[in-house]
Amino acid sequence: MNEIGAQPNRISKHTKIKGDIISEADFRIDGKLDGNVKTTGKVVIGKDGYIHGKVECVNADIEGSFNGELLVSDLLSLKSSAVIEGTVSVSKLAVEPGATFNASCTMKGKGGAASSSNSFKSTVGSSANEPAKAS
């Protein structure tokens, strides 16, 4: 017995797709997609993956590259190899040192209302963002 959304979808490395994808399941992209993705699940862009377009999802893990509009209703996790350009709207954002985040970012609170809007153009480095130390 399979639940809706139980089987993730995958676009493999060396595969290029041009068009729009609508799914209720999770999606992993290790190839290249020129188009839009809309899912009620999670989107994962693998290290060799690339999306140019609009992505709407609940959660996203990005190791590869993204250029366009990214709408994540819960958590966006950027791994150290991620390269993000465009506009981003999230509830929660996690960025590993080394990720490149060149985006206009809007963070929404629990009620869905925007709490702040910032433009970031930086590469997060391990020595550049040291945590504050208590005396």
Side-chain angles (χ1 to χ4, degrees), residues 47-65:
K47 197 165 192 162
D48 296 314
Y50 173 76
I51 295 178
H52 181 262
K54 181 177 181 178
V55 172
E56 295 179 68
C57 59
V58 175
N59 294 301
D61 286 349
I62 301 179
E63 293 180 80
S65 301

Side-chain angles (χ1 to χ4, degrees), residues 4-134:
I4 293 177
Q7 282 293 332
N9 296 289
R10 172 171 275 187
I11 297 174
S12 298
K13 190 175 177 180
H14 306 297
T15 300
K16 296 177 184 177
I17 293 181
K18 192 172 193 175
D20 297 339
I21 297 170
I22 298 172
S23 176
E24 292 183 8
D26 294 348
F27 231 95
R28 181 175 177 97
I29 289 101
D30 290 307
K32 299 197 181 330
L33 172 67
D34 188 2
N36 304 318
V37 177
K38 185 172 187 176
T39 181
T40 54
K42 180 178 191 175
V43 172
V44 176
I45 301 176
K47 197 165 192 162
D48 296 314
Y50 173 76
I51 295 178
H52 181 262
K54 181 177 181 178
V55 172
E56 295 179 68
C57 59
V58 175
N59 294 301
D61 286 349
I62 301 179
E63 293 180 80
S65 301
F66 176 83
N67 188 330
E69 184 179 2
L70 184 55
L71 306 169
V72 182
S73 61
D74 193 22
L75 174 65
L76 169 60
S77 179
L78 303 179
K79 306 303 181 190
S80 61
S81 56
V83 178
I84 307 300
E85 295 184 357
T87 60
V88 176
S89 177
V90 297
S91 280
K92 296 178 238 167
L93 177 63
V95 183
E96 286 185 0
T100 301
F101 189 67
N102 294 325
S104 173
C105 183
T106 302
M107 296 194 75
K108 299 184 186 264
K110 288 182 182 177
S115 59
S116 67
S117 179
N118 298 305
S119 288
F120 295 104
K121 290 195 188 256
S122 68
T123 299
V124 179
S126 56
S127 63
N129 293 332
E130 302 245 348
K133 295 180 183 166

